[in-house]
Amino acid sequence: KAGVTQTPRYLIKTRGQQVTLSCSPISGHRSVSWYQQTPGQGLQFLFEYFSETQRNKGNFPGRFSGRQFSNSRSEMNVSTLELGDSALYLCASSFEGNSYNEQFFGPGTRLTVL
Amino acid sequence: DAKTTQPPSMDCAEGRAANLPCNHSTISGNEYVYWYRQIHSQGPQYIIHGLKNNETNEMASLIITEDRKSSTLILPHATLRDTAVYYCIVRQGGSEKLVFGKGTKLTVNP
């Protein structure tokens, strides 16, 4: 079974631009969560989607948004990029999304904002 | 904020057991203890989880104290490839949200 895939793996943008990152969960998984990892703040939860609905949201500004499609694939978007948005963005999928299934993480997208 | 406390770093000799401690004194009755690890710049990898009984799988063993206020992850025969940051996480009931602390950087030495 293929693991969680994320595209692109690396991305360079400039301040003020917007970016869209994609995540394909493991086949059959319906829950997708997104995390941001920076050296200063560590791994922080962004949001979680289950059956195309956002179920949980972390403490990030409205510039960070996401969505999930009917095939469970998910995208996250960051608008008006800031230098501080440079980070590794990770997505994770789980089967039932019932909080006791393990989450499987993808390799991440490394975003650099210049 | 993370509900767990871990030592920032530990060393272990290759072939020996690595015992990684975690304190979670405010854990609630329906919260599980999860362990993940992250090898440099890769996505975190699930290791094991438990509620109150000790658990074992092909990767590790998890020992949870009777009062559930602390736990220990045991890698029975550490290899160089086990060098990683290990995160102990208390999983909030009804939520997929994982709250990561700073973890323990385990270095396995030859």
Side-chain angles (χ1 to χ4, degrees):
Chain A
K1 202 180 241 189
V4 177
T5 58
Q6 293 187 245
T7 56
R9 293 292 312 278
Y10 301 91
L11 203 51
I12 299 175
K13 292 285 188 179
T14 57
R15 279 181 297 174
Q17 287 187 309
Q18 74 166 14
V19 67
T20 299
L21 312 181
S22 180
C23 172
S24 292
I26 292 172
S27 177
H29 285 193
R30 295 194 295 165
S31 170
V32 174
S33 299
W34 288 89
Y35 293 81
Q36 180 197 63
Q37 185 172 28
T38 60
Q41 299 298 319
L43 272 154
Q44 293 186 289
F45 174 80
L46 279 157
F47 29 65
E48 183 236 344
Y49 287 87
F50 182 80
S51 292
E52 302 179 64
T53 301
Q54 186 182 88
R55 281 202 308 191
N56 207 343
K57 190 176 188 303
N59 192 25
F60 278 81
R63 300 185 298 106
F64 292 82
S65 63
R67 60 178 176 168
Q68 186 180 35
F69 302 95
S70 58
N71 62 358
S72 293
R73 190 177 69 85
S74 178
E75 289 181 347
M76 68 161 282
N77 184 79
V78 187
S79 63
T80 319
L81 284 166
E82 301 176 0
L83 295 179
D85 297 332
S86 293
L88 181 66
Y89 289 88
L90 294 154
C91 86
S93 74
S94 64
F95 180 52
E96 282 289 341
N98 66 4
S99 81
Y100 299 118
N101 293 141
E102 56 262 37
Q103 293 187 22
F104 296 87
F105 283 79
T109 293
R110 184 162 297 280
L111 171 66
T112 301
V113 181
L114 302 176
Chain B
D1 287 348
K3 295 180 69 171
T4 60
T5 304
Q6 300 176 252
S9 63
M10 292 183 65
D11 285 283
C12 177
E14 188 177 19
R16 305 296 295 268
N19 297 289
L20 292 88
C22 179
N23 286 322
H24 32 78
S25 59
T26 61
I27 192 170
S28 300
N30 66 344
E31 291 179 321
Y32 283 66
V33 179
Y34 277 73
W35 284 83
Y36 282 78
R37 72 181 183 183
Q38 187 174 27
I39 297 170
H40 183 62
S41 293
Q42 297 181 20
Q45 176 190 22
Y46 166 81
I47 301 173
I48 198 167
H49 73 278
L51 182 62
K52 53 184 177 181
N53 297 320
N54 298 339
E55 302 288 343
T56 295
N57 62 20
E58 64 278 3
M59 287 183 69
S61 294
L62 174 60
I63 309 298
I64 302 175
T65 58
E66 195 168 338
D67 63 7
R68 302 210 322 125
K69 292 185 177 181
S70 65
S71 60
T72 301
L73 177 74
I74 301 173
L75 307 178
H77 304 288
T79 70
L80 299 179
R81 285 177 293 184
D82 292 322
T83 292
V85 177
Y86 287 77
Y87 296 98
C88 169
I89 298 165
V90 169
R91 183 87 170 262
Q92 298 171 0
S95 172
E96 287 293 282
K97 177 180 177 180
L98 297 176
V99 180
F100 288 82
K102 296 187 183 303
T104 295
K105 181 171 172 50
L106 173 69
T107 302
V108 180
N109 300 303

